Amino acid sequence: MKRILLLLSALLCVAGAEAQKKAPIVHLTCPESSVRRTEIILPTVKGFNCYKADFHIHTSYSDGVVTPAGRVDEAWYDGLDIIAITDHLESHSGVKRFLKVSAPYNKSGKPTRYLVPGSTKMPKSGIDPGLKVDFNAIHEEAVKHNQRKGYNLLLIKGCEMARNNEKLGHYNTLFVEDLNSLYAFELKEAFLNVKKQGGIIIHNHPGNVDKYENEWHADVYSSGLIDGVEVANGIRFYPYMVRRCVDNKLTMFGNTDTHGLINHKYSTIGTFRTMTIVLAKECTEKAVKDAILKRRTIAYSGGDLIGEEKWLAEFLNAAVDCRMVSENEKKGTRKYALTNMSSITYRLRRGRITYELEPFKTTFVDFGKDKETGKYRLPKLRAENMWIADYKHPTIELSLDK
């Protein structure tokens, strides 16, 4: 018996040794490509594609905590098509932190001073204040990562400019050629530098400004220097600015203004990240800029859609397939099937009833005849997660699809 046990033990040892030889150097505990991009399906509206964009993003080169490459990764996984990295032109706490960590000290024992790009003012001491940040290099860093990963995101060159946030506010500039040459001590002069390069200017998070009707704001708006307004910044919506955009023919934007990590903020509330939906023929800089200048945008924030009533109506009709499925002659009613062909949920209200039209699902609604004409009415509902001027929801009639 002992001999049998010894023999079995020897055989097990040999088998264990053989298995050890066949063991891999590395064993993956889960698929390496387990992370997937979130695809946001939106309709084609009047011949225009709907591109998802975030035109207000910060990185670790200003006061953000994520690198340009990280922002590109986030945007691609979040389902975006277009982004603009808009680091602060005048304030770079991230660069200052890096200077302290990397310890490029002067003879005085103090860290190297940071110089605002474009500034030619020499301190009284006559000593060069130190380093400058190359904003174009920040953009190129993101572009190279985008190309290396094969994401095919469209990256728009831009930055954020500010002077006295409580009085003048913050503004994004997009579609410029050279970010380093934009700076000017007077903010209006900086705006003129943007216009010389063919760029556009967006009034950011206007709720942060105490006074809107001061002389400076009236001047820059009446001069045509402002092209658009962030009606939504993160999960903040500024209803009064929708009316301003409509009256002054300004483009509406919805952007994250993200400084920290993006994924935890929106996933916890169950919506996509805040974005600007751009209605353009193609995802090129020329086509996107044309769409913006012609005000073909819709802001998305927290599941709500904000924009001009015309484009919201066109968007909903393109997203929802409406078909008549039956008719009750005795009651004088028709039953319609509403099928949501997009990734956005729509809350459609009729009287006291609210229909939650979830993505890629169908709901039924009954409509009767018009008392005056005697003809059957098409479904006409108030879109409660859409906002137009004067803090109102649009009432939209759905077209019958053949």
Side-chain angles (χ1 to χ4, degrees), residues 93-105 110-112 131:
S93 56
V95 174
K96 292 178 181 179
R97 289 195 301 269
F98 171 77
L99 291 175
K100 289 181 179 180
V101 172
S102 59
Y105 288 97
K110 296 181 179 180
T112 301
L131 304 175

Side-chain angles (χ1 to χ4, degrees), residues 42-187:
L42 299 180
T44 299
V45 181
K46 302 294 285 185
F48 296 108
N49 299 315
C50 288
Y51 296 109
K52 290 81 66 179
D54 189 349
F55 295 108
H56 193 169
I57 297 173
H58 294 284
T59 77
S60 52
Y61 286 112
S62 62
D63 55 351
V65 299
V66 178
T67 65
R71 291 304 187 201
V72 170
D73 287 334
E74 288 177 336
W76 189 81
Y77 282 112
D78 284 345
L80 297 188
D81 305 300
I82 309 163
I83 63 168
I85 289 175
T86 53
D87 278 324
H88 293 281
L89 189 65
E90 302 87 358
S91 173
H92 276 72
S93 56
V95 174
K96 292 178 181 179
R97 289 195 301 269
F98 171 77
L99 291 175
K100 289 181 179 180
V101 172
S102 59
Y105 288 97
N106 296 309
K107 292 181 180 180
S108 63
K110 296 181 179 180
T112 301
R113 294 179 61 188
Y114 168 74
L115 179 65
V116 172
S119 174
T120 56
K121 185 178 180 181
M122 185 66 71
K124 293 180 180 179
S125 63
I127 301 172
D128 188 338
L131 304 175
K132 294 184 181 181
V133 170
D134 182 355
F135 279 75
N136 298 321
I138 297 173
H139 174 76
E140 287 304 318
E141 184 177 322
V143 169
K144 289 178 181 178
H145 184 75
N146 181 50
Q147 293 171 343
R148 186 165 57 249
K149 288 287 189 176
Y151 292 150
N152 292 322
L153 290 172
L154 176 62
L155 271 64
I156 305 299
K157 187 181 285 189
C159 69
E160 185 170 19
M161 300 186 290
R163 305 286 189 284
N164 191 334
N165 186 32
E166 287 71 27
K167 299 298 180 182
L168 304 185
H170 288 201
Y171 299 83
N172 268 2
T173 174
L174 304 173
F175 302 102
V176 290
E177 297 176 0
D178 180 21
L179 294 166
N180 299 328
S181 62
L182 296 179
Y183 179 82
F185 183 76
E186 294 293 338
L187 188 54

Side-chain angles (χ1 to χ4, degrees), residues 305-325:
L305 296 157
I306 308 151
E308 294 185 23
E309 187 169 5
K310 168 191 172 182
W311 289 116
L312 289 175
E314 295 286 4
F315 184 90
L316 185 64
N317 263 297
V320 177
D321 182 273
C322 174
R323 297 174 186 268
M324 189 192 78
V325 293

